[in-house]
Amino acid sequence: MDEEMNETPLRVGIVGAGQRGAGVYAEALARRPSMARIVAVADPDEDRRERLAARHEVPPEGRFDGWEALLSAPRPPELLVVATPDTLHVAPAQAALARGIHLLLEKPIAPTLSEVLALEDAAAKSSGTVTVAHVLRHAAFFATLRELLRAGRIGDLVGVDHVENVGHWHFAHSYVRGNWRRQDESSPMILAKACHDLDLLRWLVDEPCEEVHSLGALHHFRPGNAPEGATDRCLGGCAVERRCPYSAIRIYLERFGGDAGWPNDVVAPGGGPGALLDALREGPYGRCVYHGDNDQPDHQVVSLRFAGGVTATLTVTAFSEENTRTIHLMGTHGEIRGHMAQGTLRLHDFAAGREEVVHVGSSLGHAAADDTLVFDLLTRLRRGDGAGRTALSASIDSHVMAFAAEASRRSGRPVRPDALRPQVS
């Protein structure tokens, strides 16, 4: 097995020691000690930086408060994980590529199209490779779905209906109270949350998208929808807290029981129940969902037409109990209905008149796909193979599709993704 090869482990640096950098990628790397070794970490938050460094035995000389110092070290890493906030991806990525360092880049690539294209240009000039964390291509659910399509099990694909059920509590956590609540501080919701989904549609259809039309708005989480008696915070006497499905008490203390894992570790990093309560009393995650500064759409529908005539719809909604993806693929000789959390793909053959259920295992979240992505990346880098399943070139299209969707949502008109890219004469 690759883990048993007697080769020097790749030297890895991590920029951004938050939930993805420390809780996902560092842990996945640590599970493969013969393939990779974390030698450096950069984060301006000392507590986060030191927690990651201590857990993974990063030496004192490998601990930095910024990526600039990390990349200026006498012996920089061979692979850099960039898991900073969306708006801070491009600068460290460009600097690393200029030195020929390989990248694992958290999605989205960047919050603006100009930055995405600038990184594409930097990658084209570098000996370093860029792997974008479109981890769901590595999930058994979608990998199996693609295999069924390629095997012609439903004939020619004609249409796809895909739904990203964000979950009412998850949306409140991330897009009303959390780091992605405002577009000017992060990315458009359709990019931040659904570039995974647009990427999957592009991957499954296997043709470029020619036209996008999108409708959506911030329907519910606005001051005008606050119930009478609602206060600015959930703790401290809100008269309607017990009846509110978005109550911070209900989500963090009851639904997740005050546990130390996600999402509570985002609310109070490194703290116990007391720290969680303090954070809900004083921090952003204890605010009323109707009295914040959020501006992200809470329900958005995207219609897409691909070359060759396949059409698809993507719905991204806050208003669901489940936090999962569901999909319906319609072909000339059959259909497939998939439910990611249940881990089932139901394939109906029109001619045979029967249904086949393919079990791929429950996928609550994408932890297994995160691990598979990291393993695939390390294997390719050690062998000197190509860019792989989640390379930058495979991700650019889905990002342009997301920017087209947001432009269409704002203008009310269809948008051609290729019209957003500079035309080469």
Side-chain angles (χ1 to χ4, degrees):
M1 293 180 64
D2 292 302
E3 294 100 322
E4 298 172 352
M5 295 169 62
N6 293 319
E7 296 182 14
T8 303
L10 285 165
R11 302 173 69 258
V12 183
I14 296 181
V15 176
Q19 194 270 331
R20 295 294 291 174
V24 175
Y25 300 122
E27 293 301 313
L29 289 162
R31 285 190 286 272
R32 312 209 181 265
S34 68
M35 302 180 77
R37 180 166 60 93
I38 300 171
V39 298
V41 56
D43 195 298
D45 187 300
E46 183 178 5
D47 288 341
R48 287 201 303 248
R49 181 175 70 245
E50 293 304 314
R51 277 198 303 272
L52 186 151
R55 177 168 175 78
H56 299 286
E57 300 181 346
V58 177
E61 62 271 21
R63 306 177 186 189
F64 305 94
D65 61 5
W67 61 265
E68 298 92 340
L70 187 156
L71 291 178
S72 297
R75 191 183 177 200
E78 299 159 280
L79 169 65
L80 190 71
V81 177
V82 177
T84 54
D86 298 356
T87 56
L88 303 177
H89 283 182
V90 171
Q94 287 178 314
L97 287 170
R99 299 196 64 168
I101 296 170
H102 300 292
L103 288 175
L104 172 57
L105 181 61
E106 181 58 288
K107 63 84 187 169
I109 296 168
T112 67
L113 179 59
S114 62
E115 290 175 297
V116 169
L117 298 179
L119 190 63
E120 181 183 35
D121 183 62
K125 300 173 182 176
S126 175
S127 60
T129 60
V130 183
T131 297
V132 180
H134 281 307
V135 299
L136 291 180
R137 288 189 179 212
H138 292 269
F141 180 87
F142 289 108
T144 303
L145 192 57
R146 192 171 191 265
E147 289 171 4
L148 293 171
L149 284 177
R150 295 298 169 269
R153 295 293 304 278
I154 61 170
D156 295 330
L157 183 64
V158 175
V160 185
D161 287 335
H162 182 85
V163 182
E164 163 69 289
N165 303 281
V166 181
H168 65 279
W169 56 270
H170 186 182
F171 194 93
H173 168 73
S174 295
Y175 298 95
V176 180
R177 296 178 169 119
N179 293 334
W180 292 272
R181 69 187 183 277
R182 292 185 58 85
Q183 293 199 12
D184 60 356
E185 295 179 2
S186 57
S187 303
M189 186 275 292
I190 199 66
L191 178 68
K193 188 72 182 93
C195 66
H196 272 318
D197 305 280
L198 292 167
D199 177 72
L200 288 167
L201 289 171
R202 173 68 176 85
W203 190 51
L204 293 171
V205 175
D206 202 25
E207 293 283 358
C209 180
E210 295 185 331
E211 185 173 277
V212 176
H213 191 195
S214 183
L215 299 170
L218 175 55
H219 292 273
H220 186 63
F221 301 104
R222 300 183 289 117
N225 289 324
E228 185 176 352
T231 54
D232 288 345
R233 307 194 70 83
C234 297
L235 277 72
C238 176
V240 297
E241 182 273 321
R242 284 293 79 192
R243 304 195 303 274
C244 180
Y246 307 104
S247 157
I249 296 173
R250 184 186 298 276
I251 293 172
Y252 302 111
L253 299 179
E254 296 174 5
R255 188 182 190 103
F256 291 96
D259 291 345
W262 187 87
N264 290 348
D265 59 356
V266 177
V267 179
L276 181 60
L277 280 171
D278 289 342
L280 294 180
R281 289 191 186 99
E282 301 170 6
Y285 293 96
R287 294 182 300 191
C288 174
V289 293
Y290 303 104
H291 293 304
D293 59 349
N294 54 295
D295 64 4
Q296 297 279 22
D298 50 28
H299 186 87
Q300 187 167 353
V301 178
V302 184
S303 299
L304 308 112
R305 177 173 56 79
F306 293 87
V310 175
T311 60
T313 60
L314 166 64
T315 299
V316 185
T317 186
F319 307 111
S320 62
E321 169 57 25
E322 291 188 306
N323 173 215
T324 192
R325 291 169 168 88
T326 56
I327 192 166
H328 180 201
L329 295 100
M330 294 151 277
T332 55
H333 287 73
E335 64 178 347
I336 302 173
R337 294 180 183 272
H339 191 290
M340 193 174 182
Q342 295 174 1
T344 57
L345 298 168
R346 298 181 176 276
L347 189 156
H348 193 93
D349 185 310
F350 296 160
R354 64 172 180 267
E355 182 180 79
E356 173 188 349
V357 181
V358 180
H359 296 280
V360 294
S362 176
S363 300
L364 296 172
H366 43 72
D370 289 323
D371 193 69
T372 304
L373 167 67
V374 170
F375 175 63
D376 175 72
L377 170 61
L378 295 176
T379 301
R380 287 188 288 102
L381 291 180
R382 284 156 60 92
R383 291 177 175 170
D385 288 349
R389 194 180 292 181
T390 58
L392 179 64
S393 59
S395 301
I396 295 294
D397 275 3
S398 61
H399 280 64
V400 177
M401 288 158 63
F403 291 119
E406 185 62 10
S408 175
R409 184 183 76 86
R410 290 178 176 275
S411 69
R413 296 188 296 272
V415 173
R416 292 183 60 90
D418 60 2
L420 300 183
R421 302 193 61 160
Q423 301 301 306
V424 179
S425 58

